[in-house]
Amino acid sequence: QFHMIKHEDLTWRESLGQGSFTHISRGSKTDQRDGVTHSTEVLLKVLDANHKNCWESFFEAASLMSQISHKHLLLVYGISVHKSKNIMVQEFVKHGALDLYLKRSMSVSVSWKLDVAKQLACALNFLEEKNIAHGNICAKNLLLAREGDPSADNSPFIKLSDPGISMALLGKDVVLDRIPWVAPEVLDTLEIELECDKWSFGSTLWEIFNNGEAPLQGLDPIQKQQFYEHFSNLPALEWTELADLIIQCMQYQPELRPSCRSIIRQLNSLITSDYEILHATGTHPK
Ligand SMILES: Nc1cnc(-c2cc(N)nc3[nH]ccc23)cn1
């Protein structure tokens, strides 16, 4: 279920950092199509040699993304296995991870953030309709394909990256580190259900509207675990309707979390109210 890419068709360029048990580089792949050689810019995600036992989960995560195609899901071109290297070849998304982008550019508007939130909700709705749980929704896994430029009246465009190696294999410390993105029930079961993505969506909304700041970033793993044991909530945003949506998504009882359709409906009404307030009073909702 994967396109196998020959190692000699790959070119490595600069390293771009690392994920859980992986390191990533910019690169390119060449392929022949109707006798013409094409070179495509790609992202090369290499599984650390000392985590070879995770290769199945590594490729499982990618194959989830290549079984289905959607405009807001990252495209996986295929895999390449060469000696002890397991390589996933993904589309290269120009502006990289959303959390870093938000931290750098403090000037994105409320409507920009709502637009990005709605695109993520649409991607989740698509996955929900296919009964596919992602399991690692967070701003770091949202890639910005287009910045959006208000003066040119064009909007941002995001792509949801693959979930990476499943938490069942990542160990307890990584799971604790993913609080508050990982749904509370996952800490016991390490099973990912559709409702888990709703919880993570709430946490990602919080990130987007806090300019990429990681929620609970100052807490150590024990304090993070206590955050769940005390049924705590993230600090409320000033915009109450948005804060309410985050609370709905981050309900400790999975069955009480809203459907994706309800999330999209609520985002649409926030978009409308933001538009009306902005164009009526020239200020943003508080
Ligand atoms: N599928 C992907 C994933 N990450 C990127 C990316 C782009 C960029 N400009 N800086 C980066 N720094 C780290 C990753 C990255 C691109 N495509």
Side-chain angles (χ1 to χ4, degrees), residues 20 29 83 146 153 166 176 264:
S20 305
K29 75 174 174 81
K83 291 191 185 134
R146 191 176 62 214
D153 193 27
S166 89
L176 288 182
I264 292 171

Side-chain angles (χ1 to χ4, degrees), residues 16-17 24 42-43 74 90-97 100 143 161:
L16 288 172
I24 55 181
V42 296
L43 194 281
L74 184 76
Q90 304 181 342
E91 75 173 294
F92 186 82
V93 181
K94 191 166 184 298
H95 301 285
L100 290 180
L143 300 162
S161 182

Side-chain angles (χ1 to χ4, degrees), residues 6-56:
K6 290 197 292 295
H7 192 256
E8 62 261 24
D9 291 343
L10 295 175
T11 312
W12 253 262
R13 299 191 201 294
E14 75 273 19
S15 164
L16 288 172
Q18 30 244 328
S20 305
F21 302 174
T22 61
H23 62 270
I24 55 181
S25 305
R26 194 167 67 85
S28 51
K29 75 174 174 81
T30 54
D31 55 319
Q32 309 283 345
R33 268 169 289 167
D34 27 279
V36 179
T37 304
H38 294 261
S39 173
T40 312
E41 194 173 31
V42 296
L43 194 281
L44 298 166
K45 209 172 197 178
V46 186
L47 178 64
D48 295 348
N50 50 336
H51 289 109
K52 275 179 62 59
N53 62 313
C54 298
W55 69 268
E56 208 170 341

Side-chain angles (χ1 to χ4, degrees), residues 9 31 34 44 67 124 142 190 194 235 245:
D9 291 343
D31 55 319
D34 27 279
L44 298 166
Q67 275 158 24
L124 284 187
L142 288 180
L190 288 183
L194 288 179
L245 177 55

Side-chain angles (χ1 to χ4, degrees), residues 233-246:
N233 295 317
L234 294 181
L237 301 177
E238 291 165 2
W239 190 2
T240 29
E241 289 84 349
L242 184 68
D244 289 347
L245 177 55
I246 292 174

Side-chain angles (χ1 to χ4, degrees), residues 103-171:
K103 282 172 190 156
R104 280 191 210 116
S105 52
M106 299 293 279
S107 68
V108 294
S109 68
V110 166
S111 61
W112 191 99
K113 293 173 182 172
L114 286 170
D115 194 337
V116 162
K118 190 172 168 192
Q119 292 177 35
L120 174 56
C122 291
L124 284 187
N125 188 52
F126 177 78
L127 291 174
E128 183 184 69
E129 283 172 353
K130 305 249 178 232
N131 203 27
I132 293 176
H134 182 277
N136 197 1
I137 304 294
C138 59
K140 194 184 294 295
N141 278 338
L142 288 180
L143 300 162
L144 192 61
R146 191 176 62 214
E147 285 186 282
D149 168 5
S151 57
D153 193 27
N154 79 358
S155 52
F157 198 89
I158 54 126
K159 299 235 175 193
L160 176 59
S161 182
D162 68 283
I165 294 158
S166 89
M167 275 182 284
L169 286 166
L170 286 174

